[in-house]
Each structure stands twice: as structure tokens, then as C-alpha cells.
Amino acid sequence: MAGLTASGIGSGLDVNSLVSQLMTVEQRPLTALATKEASYQSKLSAFGQLKSALSTLQTAANTLKDAAKFSATRATVAGGAPFSATSTSEASAGNYSIEVQALAKEQRTATSATTEFAPAAGDLIVTFGKVDGGIFTPGTAAPKTLNFAGGTLEAFRDAINDGDLGISASIVNNGTVKQLVIKGDATGAEQAFQLSGTTGLSVDPTVAGVSSDPTYNLAGAQDAQVNVDGIIVTRSTNTLSDVLEGVTFTLNKEDVGTPYALTVADDKSSATSAINAFVKAYNDLSTTIKSLTAYDAENKQASTLTGDATARSMQSQLRNMLGGAISGLAGAARLSDIGVSFTATGGLEVNSSKLTEALSNPTLDVGTFFAGTDTVDGFATRISERIDGFIGAEGLIAGRTDGINSSIKSIDNQREQLTARLTRIEARYRAQFTALDTLLSGFTQTSNYLTQQLANLPGSSSSN
């Protein structure tokens, strides 16, 4: 009689493989949750791209709020001029003749070049004033005093620099002795200083002196002097911002007897650049929206935000504003008035020649169109505020992303619950198959025993 066998089962049962295959089926809901979460994450990323593009457009719009940008001027100086110049919208266009006759300077004084100065403990008194006709006249400010405790020349230098005296000190080693060099912190004729006191350092700003003297003056304090169209102007600094309205001069060197031309002209380049930047920012946004909402009919493939109402609403609102008119302005009322219009594909384009003409036409008042008035919001302000409604803390995008994040959080909760359930299911499967393995193992042992017993029966060898 043939023996009872159970090939591949019994104590050889592959419990791990069986459980793994069953759990693969059980985990399908977990895979579905992961797919759904990935979709939500893609939407978050898409709205992030939209927000970034909208933010760039808002920045470009905010730049156009500055009305001064549309009345800007540019100052140009002749080549080799000993000064530079800048101008603002307050400057009047015109040509000017500028001659730099003197630079503003600070007083500079040094100790002897042959005998090294040794400071004594005591007071150093600094008095500021003006030298006029060889006479030093103290100014209205009270003298400043430094109480020096004594020490080296280096210690004296440091004490001066830390003393807030209106002067500063340095040490120059001329190869023979160390010289203490003192200079005023400010330029201008009224910044001459006199030094006195009990430290041994005495300076008279009216005496030039020679290098072998205990102290001698290297340079006297003086004002800048500029000839502007035949008018002599003096200032205490080399930066002059109140000579011509809206123009700032920076004097670099003296060039007595040689006048240089300064030209102030209207400058529309910054306004043109700002408008072009706005157009580019809108076109970039339009491209972003198109790529995120497109549908590939041939491959039947939707994009991340295909059919999304929020994206469509934002695009529609912006297009309406860009094509609409602003009432209450005397000049330009819409973008098309200044040469900015829609293309056939929905983007914006700039007619450069028309824009140049518009910027030069005071009746269109392009600056007011963008910046607005006290009673009428300009185009730039309206666009910026509308974008705030999209990307602000309470805006459309925030509402959508909050909802998506809530959905992702819900998926996380479902995943936790499902994972716990799968753990229990796996434990049950393992328990059931382990029990089955034990049972089959018992059956196998019984089968083997019966086979042996039957083989021992009389005549069993010829029974077959």
C-alpha cells in the first residue's frame, strides 16, 4: 500500500512567504492612500509655484507705484571732470558749467620730524574755530578736554582716538623718529582746531611752521569752492546737494581755471525698465498657469491643476484688470494707452515706440496712471492689492493650501489606523499558518507511523 504523503507541506510550510503574499493584497488600501497623498503634495507644489510667480508680479507692480520714477532725470558730466554728479526727479533739465576751485579739507598737524614727542600726564584741550586773516576765532562750541594719565606716544594716540574729541591721531615712523599726526574729523574752514593744555602738545592753526618745530601744520582746514555758471559757491564738505535743486555733486580734485560741462536731462530708462519688468512678470505667471492647468488631449493626460477653479479665477481676474480702464484720471486710463497690450496667446507685449511717446507726453501722465492720486488708486496699486487677495494670509491660495494640508493630515491619520490594522492582520495570519504548520506536521508524523506499521504486516511485500 502506498504511503500517505503531503509534498511541500507539514513542517516545511513556508509561513513567511504565504503571509507576505497575503499582506501584499491587504496593503492595497495603503498604496492607494500614498497615491492620493502624492497627488495632494503635487497640488501644494503647484500652488507654491503660482504664489511665487504672483509674488514676483506684485513686486514688479509695487515698483511702478513710485511716481518719481516717471519724472526721473540723469546727470552727465564731461569726460575727465574732477567731480561726479547725480540727479533726482526734482532736478531741472539744463546745461551747466562747473569749475572746482578748491576741495574741502580737514586740518592736519604733526609733531617734530627731528625730535620725538614725549607726552606728559595732564589735560589736552581741543578748541574748534576758524582762521580768518591770520587770526584764529574760536567757534560757539565749548572746548573738549582729554585727561591723559601719562604713558607712551602710542598710549597718547589711543587716548586721543578714544576721547571723542573731534580729532583723530596716528603715528608715522619717518625713519628718524616717530611723528604723531593729528587731523580733524570733519572738513571745512570752521573745523580748524587749536591744541593746548599740560600734555606738552600745543598747536596754533594760524602758524604753518617747519618740520623741526615741536609741531607744524601740514594742511589747514578749508571749505570747498565751486564756480557754478559764474557764481562762487562754498561748502564745508565735498558733497554738495543744495547748490542745484535735485543735483548732488561729489568733488574729487581741484582743477582751477578749467570749467566742465554738466548736463541734466529727462531719463525715462528706469520707467521703461520697470514697465518691461512688469510685462515679463505677467507673462511668466501666464506661462506658469498654462503649464499647471493644461490638458494633453492626445495622450489624455491632465496637469496638476487642470480644471482647478482657483487657478482659473485668479487668471480671469488679472486679465480683466489688465484690460480694464481706470476712471477718474485725466491722462492714460488703460495699459493700451501707453503701448502695452495683449497678444493672441494671452500674454502682454510692449510697443516700444508707443511707450516712449507716452512717457514723453505730459498729457498722458503715465506716472499718475501707475501711481494714482490722493483720491484714485493707480494701476499698480490695484494690481498689487488684488494679488494680496490671492497670496495673502487670508487669500485664495492660503485657503486652498489649508484645505489640502487638512486632507494630507487626514491621510496621515488613516495611514496610522490602517497600519495598526495591518499589523493585527499580519499577526493573525502568522498565528493561523503557524497553527496549520503544527497540525500538518502532526499529520505527517501520523502518516509516517502508519506507513511503517503497514509495511511490517505479513505479506505486505507482495501486496502490490
Side-chain angles (χ1 to χ4, degrees):
M1 180 177 180
L4 297 176
T5 62
S7 178
I9 58 176
S11 60
L13 186 65
D14 190 350
V15 175
N16 287 333
S17 177
L18 291 170
V19 171
S20 176
Q21 293 178 55
L22 288 169
M23 291 307 298
T24 297
V25 177
E26 295 286 354
Q27 288 173 352
R28 287 176 181 172
L30 202 59
T31 302
L33 287 178
T35 301
K36 184 180 293 187
E37 182 181 25
S39 173
Y40 285 139
Q41 293 290 359
S42 295
K43 282 184 168 58
L44 282 181
S45 177
F47 280 115
Q49 294 177 57
L50 271 182
K51 185 174 182 178
S52 177
L54 284 164
S55 179
T56 299
L57 180 62
Q58 185 180 48
T59 298
N62 288 336
T63 301
L64 291 168
K65 290 181 182 180
D66 182 11
K69 188 179 297 295
F70 298 89
S71 56
T73 61
R74 174 178 293 178
T76 305
V77 298
F83 66 93
S84 59
T86 59
S87 62
T88 67
S89 59
E90 285 76 28
S92 299
N95 298 308
Y96 306 89
S97 174
I98 310 296
E99 178 191 348
V100 180
Q101 298 179 340
L103 292 179
K105 296 179 181 179
E106 71 280 354
Q107 179 181 329
R108 289 185 294 118
T109 299
T111 57
S112 174
T114 57
T115 304
E116 189 166 307
F117 173 66
D123 291 336
L124 175 67
I125 302 172
V126 185
T127 304
F128 287 93
K130 182 178 182 180
V131 176
D132 191 2
I135 300 174
F136 176 72
T137 303
T140 57
K144 295 185 176 183
T145 301
L146 168 68
N147 182 259
F148 180 56
T152 64
L153 187 63
E154 286 78 9
F156 190 44
R157 173 201 60 194
D158 295 342
I160 291 173
N161 290 335
D162 294 338
D164 190 24
L165 302 173
I167 59 175
S168 57
S170 61
I171 294 175
V172 176
N173 188 333
N174 66 16
T176 301
V177 298
K178 295 177 181 178
Q179 290 182 262
L180 184 68
V181 180
I182 300 175
K183 68 176 183 177
D185 291 342
T187 59
E190 295 186 354
Q191 294 300 313
F193 58 84
Q194 180 185 74
L195 300 182
S196 58
T198 56
T199 62
L201 186 63
S202 177
V203 172
D204 182 352
T206 66
V207 179
V210 295
S211 62
S212 60
D213 290 340
T215 61
Y216 63 104
N217 292 312
L218 300 169
Q222 70 179 37
D223 286 336
Q225 184 170 295
V226 183
N227 184 324
V228 181
D229 283 347
I231 298 175
I232 304 300
V233 175
T234 60
R235 294 292 187 273
S236 62
T237 73
N238 291 313
T239 301
L240 289 64
S241 58
D242 58 351
V243 176
L244 294 175
E245 185 178 12
V247 178
T248 297
F249 299 96
T250 300
L251 309 183
N252 301 316
K253 63 180 181 179
E254 299 174 358
D255 196 349
V256 180
T258 307
Y260 290 84
L262 165 69
T263 301
V264 179
D266 291 337
D267 180 19
K268 306 304 181 185
S269 61
S270 58
T272 301
S273 296
I275 293 171
N276 283 326
F278 176 83
V279 169
K280 181 182 183 302
Y282 177 77
N283 288 340
D284 289 345
L285 171 64
S286 181
T287 299
T288 299
I289 293 176
K290 186 177 296 184
S291 67
L292 293 174
T293 60
Y295 180 76
D296 184 351
E298 182 178 348
N299 297 310
K300 297 181 179 180
Q301 181 67 44
S303 299
T304 306
L305 298 181
T306 299
D308 184 84
T310 300
R312 290 200 309 270
S313 174
M314 291 189 295
Q315 185 176 39
S316 175
Q317 291 182 54
L318 286 176
R319 282 184 61 85
N320 289 338
M321 292 191 71
L322 292 172
I326 300 176
S327 60
L329 298 179
R334 63 183 74 230
L335 282 176
S336 59
D337 293 339
I338 64 170
V340 180
S341 57
F342 281 107
T343 66
T345 57
L348 289 177
E349 66 179 357
V350 179
N351 184 319
S352 298
S353 59
K354 186 173 181 179
L355 176 60
T356 299
E357 292 176 4
L359 290 171
S360 301
N361 187 347
T363 61
L364 287 178
D365 197 0
V366 178
T368 299
F369 167 72
F370 283 107
T373 66
D374 292 338
T375 57
V376 179
D377 286 339
F379 175 84
T381 299
R382 296 182 183 211
I383 287 290
S384 181
E385 290 178 351
R386 182 59 58 89
I387 294 175
D388 263 339
F390 299 156
I391 67 175
E394 304 296 329
L396 289 176
I397 290 180
R400 284 302 310 278
T401 55
D402 286 348
I404 292 172
N405 282 320
S406 295
S407 297
I408 291 175
K409 186 175 181 180
S410 175
I411 287 176
D412 288 339
N413 293 334
Q414 294 178 57
R415 182 184 290 109
E416 289 180 7
Q417 296 173 8
L418 183 56
T419 300
R421 177 173 171 271
L422 290 174
T423 299
R424 294 192 299 270
I425 291 174
E426 182 176 1
R428 187 175 74 245
Y429 280 149
R430 288 190 179 278
Q432 290 173 340
F433 281 112
T434 298
L436 177 61
D437 184 51
T438 301
L439 180 62
L440 291 176
S441 177
F443 287 160
T444 299
Q445 292 175 4
T446 301
S447 173
N448 291 338
Y449 172 77
L450 291 175
T451 299
Q452 293 173 0
Q453 295 301 314
L454 291 172
N456 293 329
L457 291 176
S460 62
S461 60
S462 59
S463 62
N464 293 328

